[in-house]
Amino acid sequence: MNRERYERPVIIRHQAGLANKIGRSRAPRSMGSIDGVSVAGLAGEFGSPLFVFSEKRIRKNYREAHRAFSMRYPGVKFAWSYKTNYLDAVCRIFHDEGSWAEVVSEYEYDMARRNGVPGAKILYNGPYKPVPALERAVAEGAHIHIDNYDELLAMEKIAAGSGKRIEAAIRINLDAGIHPAWDRFGFNYENGEARDAARRMRAGGKLVLAGVHAHIGTCILDPAAYRTQTEKLVEFSLWAGRELGCTVKYIDAGGGFPSSATLHEQYLPGDEANPPIDEYAEAVTAPLLAAGFSPDRLPALFLETGRALVDDAGFLVCSVVANKRLAGGTRAVIVDAGVNALFTSFWYKHNVFTAEEHSGMMEETAIYGPLCMNIDVLRPSLRLPSLDPGDILVFTPAGAYNVTQWMQFIRMRPPVVMIGEGGGVRLIRRAETLEDLKGPETAFDDGPAYAAAGEAHGNR
């Protein structure tokens, strides 16, 4: 005879009456398939936990966002933000759609080149660019955004060595009404530092100011901040042309547009509260069109798109491994993926779905990962039905920053699959093994060589 699992009785308060502004208690939500492919089937074939990406959604997101900007302004170019997702299969979809690459390190630069992006279609950002990386980027025609005076000087030395002037952009930080302001990157607009940097470039005679760039933050929920940012970048560009004789060929408005994710501090769900991409497109492009640029000198507009284009296309599939009651009586479930895989749990209240429909009483439940650390919390509280070990949960959106910030702490990093536009599924990254983790280590054993070395250092 099969015995049912014991569940401690719990009294749950119910309140009858009309729905309030928060709404009625929602039934458990299920997600049995992704793009027509069974979630349970994916877990059965590739294991759990498992990241799943939808090619169809990536392409749809890109096309909708690009259309929102390009219908309002000519010369729009998207540059895929590599730090958002390093998977070649994902990056190549964006490049196939026409996106350039935006990188912030030499190895991200290498990844873009590996994916077939020519140097002339790479935006090179970041506060630290080693001189050899700058030399390579200059030689290959990349668009380098100067972050500080030491980098400016390094660029001048490279130009002197090449015997020709080099086009470059400068990064500007500014007050767009977002607090705290991101003022650690680039030259400040309000205190005049950005203009001083432009004057310094002009006076040195080795660099040509060709672009201006700003990035005001991430998950910016107020489109008006981008209007303020663009107005200041436009004003700076016009000043550079008027006072320094520089023709600013492009304005890079950065990224930071939110996905549908719900941040921890948000009251309403992100898919209801976060502004659509069209509002951001209007805020960015309107000041450019109203600036009075000559039609034959209208600057190109770059957007460093990342989170908003890939987040909703990613899912984390995981399995319940245990149930328990916390000291205060709260129900908790433990799943086989933690913050080591779903790093964005520190910022998001992810949507959570069961792979199968469940009936029964809904109860406030905490979802914990399998790591032996107290901060391994995927959701501190949400209403879920009773779950058994082996039941499958789906977390979304999970496509941005998780497969770049995940870590090999206690658990190996899981496999990743891509569902193609035609419904086919392919493994794009296998599960890690111990050999993957230990591969970079050098040999170290307690053999004769080690003993001899120990004696030489006086170890007994």
Coordinates of all heavy atoms in Angstrom, one line a residue, residues 172-245:
I172 N 30.3 59.7 -21.7 CA 29.9 60.8 -20.8 C 29.0 60.2 -19.8 O 28.0 59.5 -20.1 CB 29.2 61.9 -21.7 CG1 30.1 62.5 -22.7 CG2 28.6 63.0 -20.8 CD1 29.5 63.4 -23.7
N173 N 29.2 60.6 -18.5 CA 28.2 60.4 -17.5 C 27.5 61.6 -17.2 O 28.0 62.7 -17.2 CB 28.8 59.7 -16.2 CG 29.7 60.6 -15.5 OD1 29.3 61.6 -14.8 ND2 31.0 60.3 -15.6
L174 N 26.2 61.5 -16.9 CA 25.4 62.7 -16.7 C 24.2 62.5 -15.8 O 23.9 61.3 -15.5 CB 24.9 63.2 -18.1 CG 24.2 62.2 -19.0 CD1 22.8 61.9 -18.7 CD2 24.4 62.6 -20.5
D175 N 23.6 63.6 -15.4 CA 22.4 63.5 -14.5 C 21.2 63.4 -15.3 O 20.8 64.4 -15.9 CB 22.4 64.7 -13.6 CG 21.2 64.6 -12.6 OD1 20.5 63.6 -12.6 OD2 21.1 65.6 -11.8
A176 N 20.5 62.2 -15.4 CA 19.3 62.1 -16.2 C 18.1 62.0 -15.2 O 17.0 61.6 -15.7 CB 19.4 60.9 -17.1
G177 N 18.3 62.3 -13.9 CA 17.2 62.1 -13.0 C 17.1 60.8 -12.3 O 16.2 60.5 -11.6
I178 N 18.1 59.9 -12.6 CA 18.1 58.5 -12.1 C 19.1 58.5 -10.9 O 20.3 58.9 -11.1 CB 18.6 57.5 -13.1 CG1 17.6 57.5 -14.3 CG2 18.7 56.1 -12.5 CD1 16.2 57.1 -13.9
H179 N 18.7 58.1 -9.8 CA 19.6 58.1 -8.6 C 19.6 56.7 -8.0 O 18.6 56.0 -7.9 CB 19.1 59.1 -7.6 CG 19.1 60.5 -8.1 ND1 20.2 61.2 -8.3 CD2 18.0 61.3 -8.6 CE1 19.9 62.4 -8.8 NE2 18.6 62.5 -9.0
P180 N 20.8 56.2 -7.6 CA 22.1 56.9 -7.7 C 22.5 56.9 -9.2 O 22.3 56.0 -10.0 CB 23.0 56.1 -6.9 CG 22.5 54.7 -6.9 CD 21.0 54.9 -7.0
A181 N 23.2 58.0 -9.5 CA 23.7 58.2 -10.9 C 24.9 57.3 -11.1 O 25.7 57.1 -10.2 CB 24.0 59.7 -11.2
W182 N 25.0 56.8 -12.3 CA 26.2 56.1 -12.7 C 27.3 57.0 -13.1 O 27.5 57.3 -14.3 CB 25.9 55.1 -13.8 CG 25.2 53.9 -13.4 CD1 24.4 53.7 -12.3 CD2 25.2 52.6 -14.1 NE1 23.9 52.4 -12.2 CE2 24.4 51.7 -13.3 CE3 25.8 52.1 -15.2 CZ2 24.1 50.4 -13.7 CZ3 25.6 50.8 -15.6 CH2 24.8 49.9 -14.8
D183 N 28.1 57.6 -12.2 CA 29.1 58.6 -12.5 C 30.5 58.0 -12.4 O 31.5 58.8 -12.5 CB 28.9 59.8 -11.6 CG 29.1 59.4 -10.1 OD1 29.3 58.2 -9.8 OD2 29.0 60.3 -9.3
R184 N 30.7 56.7 -12.3 CA 32.0 56.2 -12.3 C 32.6 55.9 -13.7 O 33.7 55.6 -13.8 CB 32.1 54.9 -11.4 CG 31.2 53.8 -11.9 CD 31.6 52.4 -11.4 NE 32.9 52.0 -11.9 CZ 33.3 50.7 -11.9 NH1 32.5 49.8 -11.3 NH2 34.4 50.4 -12.4
F185 N 31.7 55.9 -14.7 CA 32.2 55.6 -16.0 C 32.2 56.9 -16.9 O 31.3 57.7 -16.9 CB 31.2 54.6 -16.7 CG 31.1 53.4 -16.0 CD1 29.9 53.1 -15.3 CD2 32.1 52.4 -15.9 CE1 29.7 51.9 -14.6 CE2 31.9 51.2 -15.2 CZ 30.8 51.0 -14.5
G186 N 33.3 57.1 -17.6 CA 33.4 58.3 -18.5 C 33.6 59.6 -17.8 O 34.0 59.7 -16.7
F187 N 33.4 60.7 -18.6 CA 33.7 62.0 -18.2 C 32.3 62.7 -17.8 O 31.4 62.6 -18.6 CB 34.4 62.8 -19.3 CG 35.7 62.2 -19.7 CD1 35.7 61.3 -20.8 CD2 36.9 62.4 -19.1 CE1 36.9 60.7 -21.2 CE2 38.1 61.8 -19.5 CZ 38.1 61.0 -20.6
N188 N 32.3 63.5 -16.8 CA 31.1 64.1 -16.3 C 30.6 65.3 -17.2 O 31.4 66.1 -17.6 CB 31.2 64.5 -14.9 CG 29.9 65.0 -14.3 OD1 29.6 66.2 -14.2 ND2 29.0 64.1 -14.0
Y189 N 29.4 65.3 -17.4 CA 28.8 66.4 -18.3 C 28.6 67.6 -17.5 O 29.0 68.7 -17.9 CB 27.4 65.9 -18.8 CG 26.7 66.9 -19.6 CD1 26.9 67.1 -21.0 CD2 25.7 67.7 -19.0 CE1 26.2 68.1 -21.7 CE2 25.0 68.6 -19.7 CZ 25.2 68.8 -21.1 OH 24.5 69.7 -21.8
E190 N 28.0 67.5 -16.3 CA 27.6 68.7 -15.6 C 28.7 69.6 -15.1 O 28.6 70.8 -15.0 CB 26.7 68.3 -14.4 CG 25.2 68.0 -14.7 CD 25.0 66.7 -15.4 OE1 25.9 65.8 -15.2 OE2 24.0 66.5 -16.1
N191 N 29.8 69.0 -14.7 CA 30.9 69.8 -14.1 C 31.9 70.2 -15.2 O 33.0 70.8 -14.9 CB 31.7 69.0 -13.0 CG 32.4 67.8 -13.5 OD1 32.6 67.6 -14.7 ND2 32.9 67.0 -12.5
G192 N 31.6 69.9 -16.5 CA 32.5 70.4 -17.6 C 33.6 69.5 -17.9 O 34.4 69.7 -18.9
E193 N 33.7 68.3 -17.2 CA 34.9 67.4 -17.5 C 34.8 66.9 -18.9 O 35.8 66.7 -19.6 CB 34.9 66.3 -16.5 CG 36.1 65.4 -16.6 CD 36.0 64.2 -15.7 OE1 34.9 63.7 -15.4 OE2 37.1 63.7 -15.3
A194 N 33.6 66.6 -19.4 CA 33.4 66.0 -20.8 C 33.9 67.0 -21.8 O 34.6 66.6 -22.8 CB 32.0 65.6 -21.0
R195 N 33.6 68.3 -21.6 CA 34.0 69.3 -22.6 C 35.6 69.4 -22.5 O 36.2 69.6 -23.6 CB 33.4 70.6 -22.3 CG 31.9 70.5 -22.6 CD 31.2 71.9 -22.6 NE 29.8 71.8 -22.8 CZ 29.0 72.8 -23.2 NH1 29.6 74.0 -23.5 NH2 27.7 72.7 -23.3
D196 N 36.1 69.4 -21.3 CA 37.6 69.4 -21.2 C 38.2 68.3 -21.9 O 39.3 68.4 -22.5 CB 38.0 69.4 -19.7 CG 37.6 70.7 -19.0 OD1 37.3 71.7 -19.7 OD2 37.5 70.7 -17.7
A197 N 37.6 67.1 -21.8 CA 38.2 65.9 -22.5 C 38.2 66.1 -24.0 O 39.1 65.8 -24.7 CB 37.5 64.7 -22.1
A198 N 37.1 66.7 -24.5 CA 37.0 66.9 -25.9 C 38.0 67.9 -26.4 O 38.6 67.8 -27.4 CB 35.6 67.3 -26.3
R199 N 38.2 69.0 -25.6 CA 39.2 70.0 -25.9 C 40.6 69.4 -25.9 O 41.4 69.7 -26.7 CB 39.1 71.1 -24.9 CG 37.9 72.0 -24.9 CD 38.0 73.2 -24.0 NE 36.7 74.0 -24.0 CZ 35.9 73.9 -23.0 NH1 36.1 73.1 -21.9 NH2 34.8 74.6 -23.0
R200 N 40.8 68.5 -24.9 CA 42.1 67.8 -24.8 C 42.4 67.0 -26.1 O 43.5 67.0 -26.6 CB 42.2 67.0 -23.5 CG 43.4 66.1 -23.4 CD 44.7 66.9 -23.3 NE 45.9 66.1 -23.2 CZ 46.5 65.5 -24.2 NH1 46.0 65.7 -25.5 NH2 47.5 64.7 -24.1
M201 N 41.4 66.3 -26.5 CA 41.5 65.5 -27.7 C 41.9 66.4 -28.9 O 42.8 66.0 -29.7 CB 40.2 64.7 -28.0 CG 40.0 63.5 -27.1 SD 38.4 62.7 -27.5 CE 38.7 62.0 -29.1
R202 N 41.2 67.5 -29.0 CA 41.4 68.4 -30.1 C 42.8 69.0 -30.1 O 43.5 69.1 -31.1 CB 40.3 69.5 -30.1 CG 40.4 70.5 -31.2 CD 40.0 69.9 -32.5 NE 39.9 70.9 -33.6 CZ 41.0 71.3 -34.3 NH1 42.2 70.8 -34.0 NH2 40.8 72.2 -35.2
A203 N 43.2 69.4 -28.9 CA 44.5 70.0 -28.7 C 45.7 69.1 -29.0 O 46.7 69.5 -29.5 CB 44.7 70.6 -27.3
G204 N 45.5 67.8 -28.7 CA 46.5 66.8 -28.9 C 46.8 66.5 -30.4 O 47.9 66.1 -30.7
G205 N 45.8 66.7 -31.2 CA 46.0 66.6 -32.6 C 46.2 65.2 -33.1 O 46.4 64.9 -34.3
K206 N 46.0 64.2 -32.3 CA 46.2 62.8 -32.7 C 44.9 62.0 -32.7 O 44.8 60.9 -33.3 CB 47.2 62.1 -31.8 CG 48.6 62.7 -31.8 CD 49.5 61.9 -30.9 CE 51.0 62.4 -30.9 NZ 51.0 63.9 -30.5
L207 N 43.9 62.5 -32.0 CA 42.6 61.8 -32.0 C 41.5 62.8 -32.5 O 41.6 64.0 -32.4 CB 42.2 61.5 -30.5 CG 43.3 60.6 -29.8 CD1 42.8 60.4 -28.3 CD2 43.5 59.3 -30.5
V208 N 40.5 62.1 -33.1 CA 39.4 62.9 -33.7 C 38.1 62.4 -33.0 O 37.8 61.2 -33.0 CB 39.3 62.6 -35.2 CG1 38.1 63.3 -35.8 CG2 40.5 63.0 -36.0
L209 N 37.4 63.4 -32.5 CA 36.1 63.1 -31.8 C 35.1 62.7 -32.8 O 34.6 63.6 -33.6 CB 35.7 64.2 -30.9 CG 34.3 64.0 -30.2 CD1 34.5 62.9 -29.1 CD2 33.9 65.4 -29.5
A210 N 34.7 61.4 -32.8 CA 33.7 61.0 -33.9 C 32.4 60.5 -33.3 O 31.4 60.4 -34.0 CB 34.3 59.8 -34.6
G211 N 32.3 60.3 -31.9 CA 31.1 59.9 -31.3 C 31.0 60.2 -29.9 O 32.0 60.5 -29.2
V212 N 29.8 60.2 -29.3 CA 29.6 60.4 -27.9 C 28.7 59.3 -27.4 O 27.8 58.8 -28.1 CB 29.0 61.8 -27.6 CG1 29.9 62.9 -27.9 CG2 27.6 62.0 -28.3
H213 N 28.9 58.9 -26.2 CA 28.3 57.7 -25.6 C 27.9 57.9 -24.2 O 28.6 58.6 -23.4 CB 29.2 56.5 -25.7 CG 28.8 55.3 -24.9 ND1 29.6 54.7 -24.0 CD2 27.6 54.7 -24.8 CE1 29.0 53.7 -23.4 NE2 27.7 53.6 -23.9
A214 N 26.7 57.4 -23.8 CA 26.3 57.5 -22.4 C 25.5 56.2 -22.1 O 24.8 55.7 -23.0 CB 25.5 58.7 -22.1
H215 N 25.5 55.8 -20.9 CA 24.7 54.6 -20.4 C 24.3 55.0 -19.0 O 25.2 54.9 -18.1 CB 25.5 53.3 -20.5 CG 24.7 52.1 -20.1 ND1 23.9 51.5 -21.0 CD2 24.7 51.5 -18.9 CE1 23.3 50.4 -20.3 NE2 23.8 50.4 -19.1
I216 N 23.0 55.3 -18.8 CA 22.6 55.8 -17.5 C 22.3 54.8 -16.4 O 22.1 55.1 -15.3 CB 21.4 56.8 -17.7 CG1 20.3 56.1 -18.4 CG2 21.9 58.0 -18.5 CD1 19.0 56.9 -18.5
G217 N 22.3 53.5 -16.8 CA 22.0 52.5 -15.8 C 21.3 51.3 -16.4 O 21.4 51.1 -17.6
T218 N 20.7 50.5 -15.6 CA 20.1 49.2 -16.0 C 18.7 49.1 -15.4 O 18.4 49.6 -14.3 CB 20.9 48.0 -15.7 OG1 20.4 46.9 -16.3 CG2 21.0 47.8 -14.2
C219 N 17.8 48.5 -16.2 CA 16.4 48.3 -15.8 C 15.8 49.7 -15.4 O 15.1 49.9 -14.4 CB 16.2 47.4 -14.6 SG 16.5 45.7 -15.0
I220 N 16.0 50.7 -16.3 CA 15.5 52.0 -16.1 C 14.0 52.0 -16.5 O 13.6 51.8 -17.6 CB 16.2 53.1 -17.0 CG1 17.7 53.0 -16.7 CG2 15.7 54.5 -16.7 CD1 18.1 53.3 -15.3
L221 N 13.2 52.3 -15.5 CA 11.7 52.2 -15.7 C 11.1 53.5 -16.1 O 9.8 53.6 -16.3 CB 11.1 51.7 -14.4 CG 11.5 50.3 -13.9 CD1 10.8 49.9 -12.6 CD2 11.3 49.3 -15.0
D222 N 11.9 54.6 -16.2 CA 11.3 55.9 -16.6 C 11.9 56.3 -18.0 O 13.0 56.8 -18.1 CB 11.7 56.9 -15.5 CG 11.1 58.3 -15.8 OD1 10.3 58.4 -16.8 OD2 11.5 59.3 -15.1
P223 N 11.1 56.2 -19.0 CA 11.6 56.6 -20.3 C 12.0 58.1 -20.4 O 12.9 58.4 -21.2 CB 10.4 56.4 -21.3 CG 9.6 55.3 -20.6 CD 9.7 55.6 -19.1
A224 N 11.4 58.9 -19.6 CA 11.8 60.4 -19.6 C 13.3 60.6 -19.3 O 13.9 61.6 -19.7 CB 11.0 61.1 -18.6
A225 N 13.9 59.6 -18.6 CA 15.3 59.8 -18.3 C 16.1 59.7 -19.6 O 17.2 60.4 -19.7 CB 15.8 58.7 -17.3
Y226 N 15.7 58.9 -20.5 CA 16.4 58.8 -21.8 C 16.2 60.1 -22.6 O 17.1 60.4 -23.4 CB 15.9 57.6 -22.6 CG 16.4 56.3 -22.0 CD1 15.7 55.6 -21.0 CD2 17.6 55.8 -22.4 CE1 16.1 54.4 -20.5 CE2 18.1 54.6 -21.8 CZ 17.4 53.9 -20.8 OH 17.8 52.8 -20.3
R227 N 15.1 60.7 -22.5 CA 14.9 62.0 -23.2 C 15.9 63.0 -22.7 O 16.6 63.7 -23.4 CB 13.5 62.5 -23.0 CG 13.2 63.9 -23.7 CD 11.8 64.3 -23.5 NE 10.8 63.4 -24.1 CZ 10.4 63.5 -25.3 NH1 10.8 64.4 -26.1 NH2 9.5 62.6 -25.8
T228 N 16.1 63.1 -21.3 CA 17.0 64.0 -20.7 C 18.5 63.6 -21.2 O 19.3 64.5 -21.5 CB 16.9 63.9 -19.2 OG1 15.6 64.3 -18.8 CG2 18.0 64.8 -18.5
Q229 N 18.8 62.4 -21.1 CA 20.1 61.9 -21.6 C 20.4 62.4 -23.0 O 21.5 62.9 -23.3 CB 20.2 60.4 -21.5 CG 21.5 59.9 -22.1 CD 21.4 58.4 -22.4 OE1 22.1 57.6 -21.7 NE2 20.7 58.0 -23.4
T230 N 19.5 62.1 -23.9 CA 19.7 62.4 -25.3 C 19.8 63.9 -25.6 O 20.6 64.3 -26.4 CB 18.5 61.8 -26.2 OG1 18.4 60.4 -25.9 CG2 18.9 61.9 -27.7
E231 N 19.0 64.7 -24.9 CA 19.1 66.1 -25.0 C 20.5 66.6 -24.6 O 21.0 67.5 -25.3 CB 18.0 66.8 -24.1 CG 16.6 66.6 -24.6 CD 15.6 67.1 -23.6 OE1 15.9 67.4 -22.4 OE2 14.4 67.3 -24.0
K232 N 21.1 66.0 -23.6 CA 22.4 66.5 -23.2 C 23.5 66.0 -24.2 O 24.4 66.7 -24.5 CB 22.7 66.0 -21.8 CG 21.8 66.7 -20.7 CD 22.2 66.3 -19.3 CE 21.3 67.1 -18.3 NZ 21.7 66.8 -16.9
L233 N 23.3 64.8 -24.7 CA 24.2 64.3 -25.7 C 24.2 65.1 -27.0 O 25.2 65.4 -27.7 CB 24.0 62.8 -26.0 CG 24.3 61.8 -24.9 CD1 23.9 60.4 -25.3 CD2 25.7 61.9 -24.4
V234 N 22.9 65.5 -27.4 CA 22.7 66.3 -28.5 C 23.4 67.7 -28.3 O 24.1 68.2 -29.2 CB 21.2 66.5 -28.8 CG1 21.0 67.7 -29.8 CG2 20.7 65.2 -29.4
E235 N 23.2 68.3 -27.2 CA 23.7 69.6 -26.9 C 25.2 69.5 -26.9 O 25.9 70.4 -27.5 CB 23.3 70.1 -25.5 CG 23.6 71.5 -25.2 CD 25.0 71.8 -24.7 OE1 25.6 70.8 -24.2 OE2 25.5 72.9 -25.0
F236 N 25.8 68.5 -26.4 CA 27.3 68.3 -26.4 C 27.8 68.2 -27.8 O 28.8 68.8 -28.2 CB 27.7 67.1 -25.6 CG 29.1 66.9 -25.5 CD1 29.9 67.5 -24.5 CD2 29.8 66.1 -26.4 CE1 31.3 67.3 -24.4 CE2 31.2 65.9 -26.3 CZ 31.9 66.5 -25.3
S237 N 27.1 67.4 -28.6 CA 27.5 67.2 -30.0 C 27.5 68.5 -30.8 O 28.4 68.8 -31.6 CB 26.6 66.1 -30.7 OG 26.7 64.9 -30.0
L238 N 26.4 69.3 -30.6 CA 26.3 70.6 -31.3 C 27.4 71.5 -30.9 O 28.0 72.3 -31.7 CB 25.0 71.2 -31.1 CG 23.8 70.4 -31.8 CD1 22.5 71.0 -31.3 CD2 23.9 70.4 -33.3
W239 N 27.7 71.5 -29.6 CA 28.8 72.3 -29.0 C 30.1 71.9 -29.6 O 30.9 72.8 -30.0 CB 28.9 72.2 -27.5 CG 30.1 72.7 -26.9 CD1 30.3 74.0 -26.6 CD2 31.3 72.0 -26.6 NE1 31.6 74.2 -26.1 CE2 32.2 73.0 -26.1 CE3 31.7 70.7 -26.7 CZ2 33.5 72.6 -25.7 CZ3 33.0 70.3 -26.4 CH2 33.9 71.3 -25.9
A240 N 30.4 70.6 -29.7 CA 31.7 70.1 -30.3 C 31.8 70.6 -31.7 O 32.9 70.9 -32.2 CB 31.7 68.6 -30.2
G241 N 30.7 70.6 -32.5 CA 30.8 71.0 -33.9 C 31.0 72.5 -34.0 O 31.8 73.0 -34.8
R242 N 30.4 73.3 -33.1 CA 30.4 74.7 -33.1 C 31.8 75.2 -32.6 O 32.4 76.1 -33.2 CB 29.3 75.3 -32.3 CG 29.1 76.8 -32.3 CD 27.8 77.2 -31.6 NE 27.9 76.8 -30.2 CZ 27.1 75.9 -29.6 NH1 26.3 75.2 -30.4 NH2 27.2 75.6 -28.3
E243 N 32.2 74.7 -31.5 CA 33.4 75.3 -30.8 C 34.7 74.6 -31.2 O 35.8 75.2 -31.2 CB 33.2 75.1 -29.3 CG 32.1 75.9 -28.7 CD 32.2 77.4 -28.9 OE1 33.4 77.9 -28.8 OE2 31.2 78.1 -29.1
L244 N 34.6 73.3 -31.6 CA 35.9 72.5 -31.9 C 36.0 72.1 -33.3 O 37.0 71.6 -33.7 CB 35.9 71.3 -31.0 CG 35.9 71.5 -29.5 CD1 35.9 70.2 -28.7 CD2 36.9 72.4 -29.0
G245 N 34.9 72.4 -34.1 CA 35.0 72.0 -35.5 C 34.9 70.5 -35.7 O 35.3 70.0 -36.7

